[in-house]
Structures are given as C-alpha cells and as structure tokens.
Amino acid sequence: MDTRFVSMLGAVFFIAGAAHADDPGKHASFALFAGGNVAMPGSFRGQTVPFDTGDPSGSLVYHDLKFEDAYDNRYTMGGEFDYAFTPRISGFARIGYSTFDGREHDVGTFTSTTGQSPVKANFDDTSSREYDLGARYTFMPGARWQPFVGAAFD
C-alpha cells in the first residue's frame, strides 16, 4: 500500500475525530505491547512434480514446509494509537515488529540409483514489520466485557 495514502488516511481519521471531540485526551489512547511469538501462519510451497537431475542422475522432490518448521518464534513488540469517534466506533493505527530464529530443516528428498538422501536447507534469522490502519465497532461500550468487530488495512 502506498505510504502517502496511509498517512493521508490517518490524518483524515484524526482530523475528523478531533473536529467532533470536546477534549481529544478523553477519546485518544496509546498502548505499547511486547511478548513472545506464539505462531506464524503460512507455508512454503515446494515443487510437487519430481525434478530430474543430470549429474548425478536422479530426481528431487520438495516437501511442503510450514513457516514454523523453518523458524523458531522469538518476540514481538509494537504500539497502537486508538481514537474513539463515538462510544461504539474507534479508529486505530498499529505498528508491530516480530523476529524469528531460522534453523536447518529437511526440505525434500533426492532419489538416485544408489538410494535416497535428504535435502536440507538452512534458514537465516528473519523479521517482519506490520503497519495497520483500521476501525472497530464495539457492541457494549462501557461494559466490563466489550465484544467488537474490526477491520484493518495492512
């Protein structure tokens, strides 16, 4: 997504809310978060049709590999700015950062006339950054339990 568009959209949300608010401090909040990563969805898709090799003669088949097979979870951290336009409707901007430890893993099998051998890959450490802009609708504002639905642009 174009960062100028996200910045402009964020400014429009903030200005529109500030225009209707008596005291912006009553409607705005900022939260920081940090902790361990629990899981990361996704997978790597290998070649499913055997790949023939010339020297040495044989075939190579890659296995499906989940993100959690290649990386150990480390930590995540970030911050969120939230602005309540009404007691039920709020907009938010969130920034997050996560890191993952790479490891060695079997990714396939090489089959030749002499037998089978595992194909290994070494995955380096990696990180991800998340930038979200979204809104929430709260069903029971002011209650101890506040269920909501929300949507965000990444």
Side-chain angles (χ1 to χ4, degrees), residues 40-128:
M40 179 71 166
S43 63
F44 304 99
R45 178 87 177 163
Q47 184 173 344
T48 56
V49 177
F51 176 71
D52 293 326
T53 62
D55 187 26
S57 181
S59 64
L60 180 64
V61 175
Y62 291 102
H63 307 301
D64 285 334
L65 182 66
K66 292 182 175 53
F67 190 86
E68 63 191 22
D69 294 332
Y71 295 99
D72 286 328
N73 300 315
R74 280 182 75 189
Y75 64 87
T76 187
M77 63 182 163
E80 179 177 302
F81 172 78
D82 184 87
Y83 190 86
F85 298 106
T86 71
R88 293 186 182 271
I89 299 173
S90 63
F92 65 88
R94 181 185 310 127
I95 297 172
Y97 176 78
S98 300
T99 63
F100 304 92
D101 288 331
R103 58 183 167 192
E104 186 177 286
H105 193 75
D106 290 346
V107 295
T109 305
F110 178 73
T111 305
S112 68
T113 55
T114 60
Q116 290 187 338
S117 302
V119 177
K120 296 185 178 288
N122 188 20
F123 295 88
D124 288 336
D125 295 349
T126 191
S127 63
S128 68

